[in-house]
């Protein structure tokens, strides 16, 4: 690994006041290129622009994948990653599906830890805040030939992530558009999945909603994901989430929430959820919560679900009564090193991993 340190850090404590996500990039980034059938040496260098040709194939054919994870700072100043091996494994699953080269574990893991260690002052020591880590890989070959590229770049960027308060978001159940289909790339974190979801989201906004609840593409009768997150539904005192599939992305937050729910004595069931049962549960007053779960926002309890022309309002339960809010607190406490970690999910980033 080659380390080129920045001359003068851009860090100021005011950066932790940011409200928006994904714009305050830390001092360094990791880049590693793939060429002639092999990965080169990873380089950590100052974050900045790179040069590309407009013929680079990702711009034409969308061969691009990414990951999203976070680094947290505990009260003692220790910096932690959360289940990073899950993101590593998923990135390579995405790579296989998009016919891209897999990333060696040491480049991903050692690169990630060295980068976070170098920029550890950018990890906020403020409850609920973190440094968001964005590994991304895309085809850089100068060729507009419609085939898998021969050259790629793997980059890890990091950006200060604000504390997301539970924004009063509402969601519209998709009855026309789909995010994913069987046999497709819905289970991969492929850039194009997002591109395809923007227009349906735009339409939902025009109808007065913030995000889309994605349903199965064939019948639009099953509730599968919400926005860019997995989704959980609480009917009575039972928490439900759909099993992962070719259409449903295997979220690390979803998996962690299932484990936390089990260990908290919450009755959680992983099974298909129909739009009809959610609608009926609302009519009978049994629909208590619908929330999205994902790394960026952690948990977002929705205030309303749109179904056809109806707007189903949801109660705003206090933390002690809400599964979504109480599990979110449990998860963030664990991630920040406040509570015990019986699962072994927290990975400490050792200091001075690399001599620069
Ligand atoms: C990334 C992502 C999620 C959430 O995954 P986490 O690992 O929990 O961040 C859920 N659905 C989709 C479509 C995603 O891209």
């Amino acid at each position: 690994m080659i380390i080129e340190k920045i001359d003068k850090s851009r860090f100021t404590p005011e950066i932790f006041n940011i409200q928006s996500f994904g714009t305050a990039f830390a001092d360094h980034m990791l880049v590693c290129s793939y060429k002639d059938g092999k990965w080169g040496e990873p380089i950590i260098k100052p974050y900045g622009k790179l040069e590309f040709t407009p013929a680079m194939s990702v711009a034409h054919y969308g061969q691009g994948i990414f990951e999203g994870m976070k680094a947290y700072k505990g009260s003692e100043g220790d910096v932690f990653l959360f289940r990073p091996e899950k993101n590593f494994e998923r990135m390579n699953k995405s790579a296989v599906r998009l016919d891209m080269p897999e990333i060696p574990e040491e480049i991903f893991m050692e690169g990630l830890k060295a980068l976070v260690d170098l920029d550890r002052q950018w990890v906020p020591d403020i409850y609920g805040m973190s440094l968001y880590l964005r590994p991304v890989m895309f085809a850089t070959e100068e060729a507009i030939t419609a085939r898998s590229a021969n050259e790629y770049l793997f980059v890890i960027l990091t950006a200060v992530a604000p504390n997301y308060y539970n924004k009063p978001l509402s969601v519209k159940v998709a009855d026309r558009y789909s995010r994913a289909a069987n046999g497709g790339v819905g289970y991969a974190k492929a850039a194009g999945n997002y591109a395809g979801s923007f227009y349906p989201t735009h339409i939902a906004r025009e109808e007065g909603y913030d995000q889309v609840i994605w349903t199965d593409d064939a019948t639009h009768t099953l509730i599968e994901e919400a926005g860019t997150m997995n989704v959980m539904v609480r009917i009575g005192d039972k928490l439900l989430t759909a099993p992962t599939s070719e259409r449903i992305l295997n979220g690390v937050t979803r998996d962690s929430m299932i484990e936390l729910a089990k260990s908290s004595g919450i009755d959680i069931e992983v099974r298909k959820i129909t739009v009809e049962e959610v609608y009926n549960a609302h009519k009978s007053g049994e629909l208590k919560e619908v929330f999205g779960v994902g790394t960026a926002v952690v948990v977002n309890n929705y205030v309303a679900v749109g179904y056809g022309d109806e707007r189903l309002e949801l109660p705003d339960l206090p933390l002690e009564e809400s599964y979504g809010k109480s599990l979110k607190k449990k998860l963030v406490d664990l991630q920040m090193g406040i509570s015990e970690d019986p699962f072994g999910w927290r990975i400490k980033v050792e200091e001075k991993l690399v001599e620069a």
Side-chain angles (χ1 to χ4, degrees), residues 14 45 56 58 70 117 166 168 257 296 329 341:
E14 288 78 55
K45 60 184 198 176
M56 76 164 170
V58 66
K70 285 174 169 176
D117 177 36
N166 205 62
M257 292 277 290
K329 182 170 187 309
D341 175 19

Side-chain angles (χ1 to χ4, degrees), residues 69-73 79-81 116 123-124 129-133:
M69 53 213 293
K70 285 174 169 176
Y72 309 83
K73 193 172 277 178
V79 172
F80 304 107
L81 299 177
V116 172
V123 185
M129 286 186 74
S130 56
L131 185 66
Y132 183 81
L133 316 173

Side-chain angles (χ1 to χ4, degrees), residues 66-69 82 86-87 90 132 134 179-180 186-190 193-194 214 224-231 247-256 293-298:
F66 66 95
E67 268 304 323
M69 53 213 293
F82 182 73
K86 289 268 177 203
N87 300 87
R90 190 170 65 191
Y132 183 81
R134 165 53 60 85
R179 191 196 75 85
Y187 68 88
K189 271 187 114 71
N193 287 340
Y194 280 61
W214 302 105
E224 304 209 314
E225 294 212 52
T228 58
M229 307 170 94
N230 292 110
V231 66
R247 302 185 303 264
I248 301 182
L249 193 128
N250 188 359
V252 179
T253 316
R254 173 189 172 280
D255 186 76
S256 309
V293 299
T295 297
V297 191
V298 192

Side-chain angles (χ1 to χ4, degrees), residues 86-144:
K86 289 268 177 203
N87 300 87
F88 165 68
E89 288 161 13
R90 190 170 65 191
M91 184 120 190
N92 278 342
K93 258 193 198 154
S94 301
V96 168
R97 180 60 184 84
L98 275 287
D99 203 28
M100 299 165 85
E102 291 180 65
I103 299 158
E105 184 165 3
E106 65 273 21
I107 293 180
F108 188 100
M109 285 298 184
E110 301 318 311
L112 189 69
K113 288 177 189 165
L115 182 66
V116 172
D117 177 36
L118 196 58
D119 282 340
R120 60 173 57 236
Q121 73 170 339
W122 290 80
V123 185
D125 54 356
I126 300 164
Y127 185 80
M129 286 186 74
S130 56
L131 185 66
Y132 183 81
L133 316 173
R134 165 53 60 85
V136 59
M137 196 213 307
F138 46 90
T140 49
E141 188 181 350
E142 186 168 23
I144 52 170

